[in-house]
Amino acid sequence: MHSAPPLTVPSPAPYRPLRDRPAALWRQFVCAAVATLAVGAASAQEGPQLNLPRVELTAGMHRIDAQLAQTREQRQIGLMHRKEMQQHEGMLFVFEQPAVQCFWMKNTLLPLTAAFVQDDGTIVNLADMKPQTLDSHCSAKPVRYVLEMNQGWFERKGIRAGARLAGGPFGRR
């Protein structure tokens, strides 16, 4: 009969408080915690954002009452959970710098059209977006602004790529 070799249990590493661990590990932990909180806050939003600042824009002779989504959290929530929106209302997403901007419609109940807009108010391209889809709709080139309106609003007003918006960040024409 053979006897089993003695069971060896590795000794545990000495306890080192988080503050004594390398700075890179500490930064990684803090970044992960902040990202988790940000995602949790955005997903915890149960109702629509209705109290954002507003700006009056114009597209030719047509007036637009746009809510401003200026912070990362405001842009992440956007028009999610809205069940209705007046025809002259929309949301203007404001980014810190021009980039190719891509939007989707998770938790968004309304069919929307996104206008991707340059700094001078020129519409680069328009994209119709279906409610509650994860399809990506992107700007044709880098932009700082995206204006979402009820789907069909731009078409009914005869507004196409190349048209210019005025008011708010785009100044007066």
Side-chain angles (χ1 to χ4, degrees):
M1 185 179 223
H2 295 289
S3 63
L7 185 62
T8 58
V9 177
S11 62
Y15 172 75
R16 287 175 41 193
L18 269 177
R19 66 178 164 15
D20 292 342
R21 294 189 184 173
L25 181 61
W26 179 246
R27 278 193 302 277
Q28 185 178 16
F29 169 77
V30 170
C31 288
V34 168
T36 301
L37 290 173
V39 168
S43 62
Q45 172 84 19
E46 293 296 324
Q49 298 184 101
L50 299 173
N51 296 319
L52 296 179
R54 293 181 176 267
V55 64
E56 185 174 313
L57 305 174
T58 58
M61 60 187 247
H62 307 287
R63 183 175 111 9
I64 301 166
D65 178 18
Q67 287 184 287
L68 289 171
Q70 301 174 91
T71 68
R72 185 168 192 245
E73 182 182 72
Q74 291 168 347
R75 290 188 302 259
Q76 284 177 338
I77 297 168
L79 289 169
M80 286 182 180
H81 310 291
R82 290 279 299 258
K83 293 180 181 172
E84 60 185 13
M85 186 169 64
Q86 298 293 318
Q87 284 302 305
H88 69 284
E89 289 183 334
M91 182 171 282
L92 183 65
F93 295 79
V94 181
F95 294 89
E96 289 77 25
Q97 58 190 7
V100 172
Q101 307 296 344
C102 294
F103 280 56
W104 61 351
M105 297 285 284
K106 182 179 179 178
N107 297 322
T108 306
L109 308 174
L110 302 170
L112 300 171
T113 300
F116 298 96
V117 186
Q118 293 178 327
D119 285 358
D120 68 354
T122 302
I123 297 173
V124 171
N125 63 299
L126 298 164
D128 285 341
M129 303 183 296
K130 293 172 78 171
Q132 301 195 57
T133 61
L134 299 180
D135 300 338
S136 191
H137 305 277
C138 301
S139 59
K141 59 185 187 178
V143 297
R144 282 190 50 210
Y145 303 97
V146 180
L147 175 63
E148 288 184 342
M149 299 289 289
N150 284 303
Q151 194 170 97
W153 185 88
F154 293 100
E155 187 177 352
R156 285 190 301 278
K157 307 295 184 194
I159 299 167
R160 295 174 176 67
R164 287 191 59 188
L165 302 177
F170 312 118
R172 294 279 168 212
R173 280 196 311 196

